Amino acid sequence: MGRQRAVVALFIIALLALPAIAGAQSEAAVTGTVIYLERILPPPTAKVNVQLQEVSRADAPATVLAEQSIDTAGKGPPYAFSLSYDPAQIVDRGRYIVRAEIRDGEQLLFTTTTSYPVITQGNPTSDVEVRVERVGGDGSTTTGGATTLPAPTNPATLPATGGSDNAAPMLLLAALALAGGLAIRRAARLV
């Protein structure tokens, strides 16, 4: 009877300890900094937005798992971030990235143009350095030795992605390249 009570007591203690153990593992974080190489200051009202995204499916939009907004207060980089996420949402074969942008209100100033993989497949969860690239033309101003970045207009598309007005010439070029390739192949068979 005493042995049975001891087993029941251990079982109850284990049940009481489960929430504490689960709580300790219910959150993890990706940490790092956002930088840019231009020697300019953002406007004092600019904000850095950093997201942890799940991008495993090419045919689906990214799923945001965590997000942090950082006030620049007109100061330059680096901007430290910590994105807390639930490890239960992570799949070993999944693909996860950190994405960042700097905006002044609705105006996009900087954005990531490179993928920064994290968490799975041997990728880091700490000391992640995310580099953002400047968007738009130069219209910066210098005041008291410090260069301040103006807020450029939002582009219709990201750099190097083109726009809908480029579709027809690109399709024509692709068709000509295909026809030329077929003609060369046919000529090679005749020889």
Side-chain angles (χ1 to χ4, degrees):
M1 186 76 165
R3 186 178 194 150
Q4 188 176 18
R5 281 188 179 172
V7 170
V8 169
L10 285 174
F11 182 72
I12 291 172
I13 290 171
L15 283 177
L16 292 174
L18 271 178
I21 293 169
Q25 296 178 356
S26 67
E27 227 176 68
V30 173
T31 60
T33 55
V34 174
I35 65 161
Y36 57 80
L37 300 182
E38 289 82 357
R39 298 184 69 165
I40 53 179
L41 296 174
T45 54
K47 292 185 184 297
V48 180
N49 188 42
V50 188
Q51 293 182 337
L52 172 61
Q53 298 179 342
E54 187 268 331
V55 292
S56 300
R57 293 181 45 204
D59 62 340
T63 301
V64 177
L65 300 178
E67 186 170 14
Q68 181 181 3
S69 182
I70 305 161
D71 284 327
T72 65
K75 296 181 181 169
Y79 306 106
F81 66 85
S82 180
L83 300 168
S84 297
Y85 64 93
D86 181 1
Q89 291 182 306
I90 304 301
V91 178
D92 289 339
R93 292 185 142 190
R95 184 162 142 65
Y96 305 90
I97 64 166
V98 173
R99 176 161 168 52
E101 61 185 26
I102 301 176
R103 289 183 174 267
D104 186 23
E106 293 297 314
Q107 302 298 319
L108 180 64
L109 306 176
F110 291 86
T111 189
T112 47
T113 58
T114 303
S115 179
Y116 294 93
V118 292
I119 304 172
T120 58
Q121 303 169 17
N123 291 306
T125 57
S126 61
D127 300 322
V128 178
E129 186 176 86
V130 177
R131 182 176 163 192
V132 291
E133 301 286 332
R134 189 168 174 191
V135 175
D138 189 13
S140 57
T141 58
T142 304
T143 308
T147 304
T148 303
L149 179 67
T153 59
N154 269 341
T157 58
L158 289 176
T161 60
S164 60
D165 57 340
N166 294 335
M170 291 304 286
L171 284 174
L172 179 61
L173 186 60
L176 288 173
L178 180 62
L182 290 174
I184 291 171
R185 186 174 178 190
R186 180 173 284 160
R189 283 186 185 170
L190 294 176
V191 175

PDB file of all heavy atoms in Angstrom, residues 113-139:
ATOM      1  N   THR A 113      16.935  42.151 -50.241  1.00  0.00           N
ATOM      2  CA  THR A 113      16.926  41.655 -51.614  1.00  0.00           C
ATOM      3  C   THR A 113      17.566  40.274 -51.678  1.00  0.00           C
ATOM      4  O   THR A 113      17.684  39.701 -52.751  1.00  0.00           O
ATOM      5  CB  THR A 113      17.676  42.616 -52.557  1.00  0.00           C
ATOM      6  OG1 THR A 113      19.011  42.775 -52.083  1.00  0.00           O
ATOM      7  CG2 THR A 113      16.978  43.968 -52.624  1.00  0.00           C
ATOM      8  N   THR A 114      17.987  39.787 -50.537  1.00  0.00           N
ATOM      9  CA  THR A 114      18.622  38.471 -50.418  1.00  0.00           C
ATOM     10  C   THR A 114      17.854  37.675 -49.369  1.00  0.00           C
ATOM     11  O   THR A 114      17.316  38.236 -48.428  1.00  0.00           O
ATOM     12  CB  THR A 114      20.093  38.633 -49.957  1.00  0.00           C
ATOM     13  OG1 THR A 114      20.762  39.470 -50.885  1.00  0.00           O
ATOM     14  CG2 THR A 114      20.809  37.317 -49.860  1.00  0.00           C
ATOM     15  N   SER A 115      17.845  36.358 -49.518  1.00  0.00           N
ATOM     16  CA  SER A 115      17.189  35.488 -48.544  1.00  0.00           C
ATOM     17  C   SER A 115      18.127  35.243 -47.357  1.00  0.00           C
ATOM     18  O   SER A 115      19.316  34.996 -47.547  1.00  0.00           O
ATOM     19  CB  SER A 115      16.843  34.161 -49.219  1.00  0.00           C
ATOM     20  OG  SER A 115      16.225  33.302 -48.306  1.00  0.00           O
ATOM     21  N   TYR A 116      17.592  35.307 -46.145  1.00  0.00           N
ATOM     22  CA  TYR A 116      18.353  35.049 -44.929  1.00  0.00           C
ATOM     23  C   TYR A 116      17.725  33.875 -44.190  1.00  0.00           C
ATOM     24  O   TYR A 116      16.889  34.053 -43.308  1.00  0.00           O
ATOM     25  CB  TYR A 116      18.396  36.303 -44.045  1.00  0.00           C
ATOM     26  CG  TYR A 116      19.171  37.417 -44.708  1.00  0.00           C
ATOM     27  CD1 TYR A 116      18.518  38.378 -45.484  1.00  0.00           C
ATOM     28  CD2 TYR A 116      20.551  37.473 -44.614  1.00  0.00           C
ATOM     29  CE1 TYR A 116      19.230  39.370 -46.130  1.00  0.00           C
ATOM     30  CE2 TYR A 116      21.271  38.471 -45.251  1.00  0.00           C
ATOM     31  CZ  TYR A 116      20.604  39.417 -46.008  1.00  0.00           C
ATOM     32  OH  TYR A 116      21.321  40.393 -46.651  1.00  0.00           O
ATOM     33  N   PRO A 117      18.102  32.624 -44.564  1.00  0.00           N
ATOM     34  CA  PRO A 117      17.512  31.427 -43.949  1.00  0.00           C
ATOM     35  C   PRO A 117      17.929  31.284 -42.487  1.00  0.00           C
ATOM     36  O   PRO A 117      19.068  31.591 -42.115  1.00  0.00           O
ATOM     37  CB  PRO A 117      18.060  30.266 -44.778  1.00  0.00           C
ATOM     38  CG  PRO A 117      18.930  30.853 -45.831  1.00  0.00           C
ATOM     39  CD  PRO A 117      19.052  32.305 -45.607  1.00  0.00           C
ATOM     40  N   VAL A 118      16.991  30.797 -41.674  1.00  0.00           N
ATOM     41  CA  VAL A 118      17.228  30.599 -40.240  1.00  0.00           C
ATOM     42  C   VAL A 118      16.568  29.308 -39.766  1.00  0.00           C
ATOM     43  O   VAL A 118      15.789  28.699 -40.484  1.00  0.00           O
ATOM     44  CB  VAL A 118      16.692  31.794 -39.407  1.00  0.00           C
ATOM     45  CG1 VAL A 118      17.497  33.056 -39.673  1.00  0.00           C
ATOM     46  CG2 VAL A 118      15.218  32.040 -39.671  1.00  0.00           C
ATOM     47  N   ILE A 119      16.900  28.893 -38.567  1.00  0.00           N
ATOM     48  CA  ILE A 119      16.290  27.831 -37.753  1.00  0.00           C
ATOM     49  C   ILE A 119      16.585  26.414 -38.227  1.00  0.00           C
ATOM     50  O   ILE A 119      17.201  25.645 -37.510  1.00  0.00           O
ATOM     51  CB  ILE A 119      14.759  28.010 -37.570  1.00  0.00           C
ATOM     52  CG1 ILE A 119      14.461  29.384 -36.964  1.00  0.00           C
ATOM     53  CG2 ILE A 119      14.185  26.913 -36.694  1.00  0.00           C
ATOM     54  CD1 ILE A 119      12.993  29.738 -36.907  1.00  0.00           C
ATOM     55  N   THR A 120      16.128  26.016 -39.405  1.00  0.00           N
ATOM     56  CA  THR A 120      16.249  24.617 -39.840  1.00  0.00           C
ATOM     57  C   THR A 120      17.395  24.446 -40.833  1.00  0.00           C
ATOM     58  O   THR A 120      17.966  25.421 -41.323  1.00  0.00           O
ATOM     59  CB  THR A 120      14.941  24.131 -40.491  1.00  0.00           C
ATOM     60  OG1 THR A 120      14.644  24.976 -41.600  1.00  0.00           O
ATOM     61  CG2 THR A 120      13.794  24.119 -39.506  1.00  0.00           C
ATOM     62  N   GLN A 121      17.692  23.194 -41.149  1.00  0.00           N
ATOM     63  CA  GLN A 121      18.677  22.831 -42.161  1.00  0.00           C
ATOM     64  C   GLN A 121      20.058  23.423 -41.871  1.00  0.00           C
ATOM     65  O   GLN A 121      20.770  23.857 -42.768  1.00  0.00           O
ATOM     66  CB  GLN A 121      18.175  23.237 -43.548  1.00  0.00           C
ATOM     67  CG  GLN A 121      16.832  22.615 -43.874  1.00  0.00           C
ATOM     68  CD  GLN A 121      16.176  23.195 -45.104  1.00  0.00           C
ATOM     69  OE1 GLN A 121      16.809  23.849 -45.911  1.00  0.00           O
ATOM     70  NE2 GLN A 121      14.892  22.937 -45.261  1.00  0.00           N
ATOM     71  N   GLY A 122      20.396  23.459 -40.586  1.00  0.00           N
ATOM     72  CA  GLY A 122      21.713  23.947 -40.176  1.00  0.00           C
ATOM     73  C   GLY A 122      21.868  25.450 -40.161  1.00  0.00           C
ATOM     74  O   GLY A 122      22.973  25.959 -39.990  1.00  0.00           O
ATOM     75  N   ASN A 123      20.790  26.193 -40.339  1.00  0.00           N
ATOM     76  CA  ASN A 123      20.856  27.653 -40.350  1.00  0.00           C
ATOM     77  C   ASN A 123      20.788  28.204 -38.923  1.00  0.00           C
ATOM     78  O   ASN A 123      20.233  27.569 -38.039  1.00  0.00           O
ATOM     79  CB  ASN A 123      19.723  28.216 -41.211  1.00  0.00           C
ATOM     80  CG  ASN A 123      19.937  27.894 -42.671  1.00  0.00           C
ATOM     81  OD1 ASN A 123      20.980  28.188 -43.233  1.00  0.00           O
ATOM     82  ND2 ASN A 123      18.960  27.251 -43.283  1.00  0.00           N
ATOM     83  N   PRO A 124      21.337  29.402 -38.710  1.00  0.00           N
ATOM     84  CA  PRO A 124      21.446  29.946 -37.345  1.00  0.00           C
ATOM     85  C   PRO A 124      20.134  30.465 -36.776  1.00  0.00           C
ATOM     86  O   PRO A 124      19.169  30.688 -37.514  1.00  0.00           O
ATOM     87  CB  PRO A 124      22.428  31.112 -37.534  1.00  0.00           C
ATOM     88  CG  PRO A 124      22.195  31.561 -38.939  1.00  0.00           C
ATOM     89  CD  PRO A 124      21.902  30.292 -39.713  1.00  0.00           C
ATOM     90  N   THR A 125      20.133  30.659 -35.461  1.00  0.00           N
ATOM     91  CA  THR A 125      19.017  31.326 -34.782  1.00  0.00           C
ATOM     92  C   THR A 125      19.519  32.552 -34.021  1.00  0.00           C
ATOM     93  O   THR A 125      18.723  33.274 -33.441  1.00  0.00           O
ATOM     94  CB  THR A 125      18.312  30.382 -33.782  1.00  0.00           C
ATOM     95  OG1 THR A 125      19.273  29.914 -32.847  1.00  0.00           O
ATOM     96  CG2 THR A 125      17.642  29.226 -34.494  1.00  0.00           C
ATOM     97  N   SER A 126      20.834  32.764 -34.021  1.00  0.00           N
ATOM     98  CA  SER A 126      21.375  33.936 -33.334  1.00  0.00           C
ATOM     99  C   SER A 126      22.455  34.584 -34.195  1.00  0.00           C
ATOM    100  O   SER A 126      23.006  33.961 -35.102  1.00  0.00           O
ATOM    101  CB  SER A 126      21.952  33.544 -31.972  1.00  0.00           C
ATOM    102  OG  SER A 126      23.010  32.629 -32.138  1.00  0.00           O
ATOM    103  N   ASP A 127      22.721  35.844 -33.903  1.00  0.00           N
ATOM    104  CA  ASP A 127      23.722  36.629 -34.627  1.00  0.00           C
ATOM    105  C   ASP A 127      23.467  36.657 -36.134  1.00  0.00           C
ATOM    106  O   ASP A 127      24.399  36.622 -36.940  1.00  0.00           O
ATOM    107  CB  ASP A 127      25.136  36.109 -34.344  1.00  0.00           C
ATOM    108  CG  ASP A 127      25.491  36.181 -32.871  1.00  0.00           C
ATOM    109  OD1 ASP A 127      25.101  37.164 -32.222  1.00  0.00           O
ATOM    110  OD2 ASP A 127      26.136  35.247 -32.368  1.00  0.00           O
ATOM    111  N   VAL A 128      22.201  36.729 -36.525  1.00  0.00           N
ATOM    112  CA  VAL A 128      21.835  36.796 -37.940  1.00  0.00           C
ATOM    113  C   VAL A 128      21.986  38.247 -38.386  1.00  0.00           C
ATOM    114  O   VAL A 128      21.375  39.141 -37.807  1.00  0.00           O
ATOM    115  CB  VAL A 128      20.381  36.316 -38.165  1.00  0.00           C
ATOM    116  CG1 VAL A 128      19.993  36.435 -39.630  1.00  0.00           C
ATOM    117  CG2 VAL A 128      20.204  34.900 -37.657  1.00  0.00           C
ATOM    118  N   GLU A 129      22.811  38.482 -39.395  1.00  0.00           N
ATOM    119  CA  GLU A 129      22.998  39.831 -39.918  1.00  0.00           C
ATOM    120  C   GLU A 129      22.195  39.971 -41.207  1.00  0.00           C
ATOM    121  O   GLU A 129      22.480  39.298 -42.193  1.00  0.00           O
ATOM    122  CB  GLU A 129      24.473  40.121 -40.184  1.00  0.00           C
ATOM    123  CG  GLU A 129      24.712  41.560 -40.593  1.00  0.00           C
ATOM    124  CD  GLU A 129      26.175  41.880 -40.752  1.00  0.00           C
ATOM    125  OE1 GLU A 129      26.712  41.636 -41.855  1.00  0.00           O
ATOM    126  OE2 GLU A 129      26.790  42.342 -39.770  1.00  0.00           O
ATOM    127  N   VAL A 130      21.178  40.828 -41.175  1.00  0.00           N
ATOM    128  CA  VAL A 130      20.279  41.029 -42.305  1.00  0.00           C
ATOM    129  C   VAL A 130      20.621  42.377 -42.944  1.00  0.00           C
ATOM    130  O   VAL A 130      20.505  43.426 -42.305  1.00  0.00           O
ATOM    131  CB  VAL A 130      18.803  41.005 -41.851  1.00  0.00           C
ATOM    132  CG1 VAL A 130      17.874  41.281 -43.019  1.00  0.00           C
ATOM    133  CG2 VAL A 130      18.473  39.675 -41.178  1.00  0.00           C
ATOM    134  N   ARG A 131      21.038  42.325 -44.208  1.00  0.00           N
ATOM    135  CA  ARG A 131      21.407  43.549 -44.927  1.00  0.00           C
ATOM    136  C   ARG A 131      20.236  43.986 -45.800  1.00  0.00           C
ATOM    137  O   ARG A 131      19.697  43.194 -46.564  1.00  0.00           O
ATOM    138  CB  ARG A 131      22.635  43.299 -45.787  1.00  0.00           C
ATOM    139  CG  ARG A 131      23.094  44.520 -46.520  1.00  0.00           C
ATOM    140  CD  ARG A 131      24.369  44.228 -47.270  1.00  0.00           C
ATOM    141  NE  ARG A 131      24.580  45.245 -48.265  1.00  0.00           N
ATOM    142  CZ  ARG A 131      25.464  45.168 -49.222  1.00  0.00           C
ATOM    143  NH1 ARG A 131      26.237  44.099 -49.316  1.00  0.00           N
ATOM    144  NH2 ARG A 131      25.597  46.127 -50.094  1.00  0.00           N
ATOM    145  N   VAL A 132      19.854  45.243 -45.659  1.00  0.00           N
ATOM    146  CA  VAL A 132      18.795  45.804 -46.493  1.00  0.00           C
ATOM    147  C   VAL A 132      19.422  46.731 -47.525  1.00  0.00           C
ATOM    148  O   VAL A 132      20.476  47.331 -47.282  1.00  0.00           O
ATOM    149  CB  VAL A 132      17.721  46.543 -45.650  1.00  0.00           C
ATOM    150  CG1 VAL A 132      16.919  45.568 -44.816  1.00  0.00           C
ATOM    151  CG2 VAL A 132      18.338  47.615 -44.768  1.00  0.00           C
ATOM    152  N   GLU A 133      18.793  46.813 -48.685  1.00  0.00           N
ATOM    153  CA  GLU A 133      19.276  47.636 -49.795  1.00  0.00           C
ATOM    154  C   GLU A 133      18.364  48.842 -49.964  1.00  0.00           C
ATOM    155  O   GLU A 133      17.149  48.738 -49.805  1.00  0.00           O
ATOM    156  CB  GLU A 133      19.282  46.826 -51.094  1.00  0.00           C
ATOM    157  CG  GLU A 133      20.151  45.588 -51.052  1.00  0.00           C
ATOM    158  CD  GLU A 133      21.632  45.890 -51.125  1.00  0.00           C
ATOM    159  OE1 GLU A 133      22.007  46.919 -51.712  1.00  0.00           O
ATOM    160  OE2 GLU A 133      22.411  45.083 -50.607  1.00  0.00           O
ATOM    161  N   ARG A 134      18.960  49.945 -50.358  1.00  0.00           N
ATOM    162  CA  ARG A 134      18.210  51.183 -50.567  1.00  0.00           C
ATOM    163  C   ARG A 134      17.295  51.060 -51.778  1.00  0.00           C
ATOM    164  O   ARG A 134      17.659  50.477 -52.794  1.00  0.00           O
ATOM    165  CB  ARG A 134      19.198  52.322 -50.772  1.00  0.00           C
ATOM    166  CG  ARG A 134      18.569  53.668 -50.787  1.00  0.00           C
ATOM    167  CD  ARG A 134      19.627  54.720 -50.700  1.00  0.00           C
ATOM    168  NE  ARG A 134      19.029  56.024 -50.850  1.00  0.00           N
ATOM    169  CZ  ARG A 134      19.729  57.111 -51.015  1.00  0.00           C
ATOM    170  NH1 ARG A 134      21.029  57.045 -51.040  1.00  0.00           N
ATOM    171  NH2 ARG A 134      19.135  58.265 -51.140  1.00  0.00           N
ATOM    172  N   VAL A 135      16.105  51.628 -51.659  1.00  0.00           N
ATOM    173  CA  VAL A 135      15.117  51.615 -52.730  1.00  0.00           C
ATOM    174  C   VAL A 135      14.967  53.039 -53.240  1.00  0.00           C
ATOM    175  O   VAL A 135      14.901  53.975 -52.466  1.00  0.00           O
ATOM    176  CB  VAL A 135      13.750  51.102 -52.209  1.00  0.00           C
ATOM    177  CG1 VAL A 135      12.700  51.196 -53.280  1.00  0.00           C
ATOM    178  CG2 VAL A 135      13.892  49.679 -51.710  1.00  0.00           C
ATOM    179  N   GLY A 136      14.915  53.224 -54.549  1.00  0.00           N
ATOM    180  CA  GLY A 136      14.680  54.550 -55.123  1.00  0.00           C
ATOM    181  C   GLY A 136      15.972  55.287 -55.408  1.00  0.00           C
ATOM    182  O   GLY A 136      17.075  54.792 -55.176  1.00  0.00           O
ATOM    183  N   GLY A 137      15.834  56.509 -55.918  1.00  0.00           N
ATOM    184  CA  GLY A 137      16.990  57.318 -56.318  1.00  0.00           C
ATOM    185  C   GLY A 137      17.563  58.105 -55.172  1.00  0.00           C
ATOM    186  O   GLY A 137      17.052  58.125 -54.064  1.00  0.00           O
ATOM    187  N   ASP A 138      18.666  58.798 -55.459  1.00  0.00           N
ATOM    188  CA  ASP A 138      19.339  59.592 -54.437  1.00  0.00           C
ATOM    189  C   ASP A 138      18.711  60.973 -54.375  1.00  0.00           C
ATOM    190  O   ASP A 138      18.590  61.667 -55.366  1.00  0.00           O
ATOM    191  CB  ASP A 138      20.830  59.701 -54.748  1.00  0.00           C
ATOM    192  CG  ASP A 138      21.608  60.332 -53.616  1.00  0.00           C
ATOM    193  OD1 ASP A 138      21.053  60.449 -52.507  1.00  0.00           O
ATOM    194  OD2 ASP A 138      22.775  60.691 -53.831  1.00  0.00           O
ATOM    195  N   GLY A 139      18.323  61.360 -53.199  1.00  0.00           N
ATOM    196  CA  GLY A 139      17.786  62.689 -52.969  1.00  0.00           C
ATOM    197  C   GLY A 139      18.118  63.074 -51.551  1.00  0.00           C
ATOM    198  O   GLY A 139      17.437  63.841 -50.914  1.00  0.00           O
TER     199      GLY A 139
END
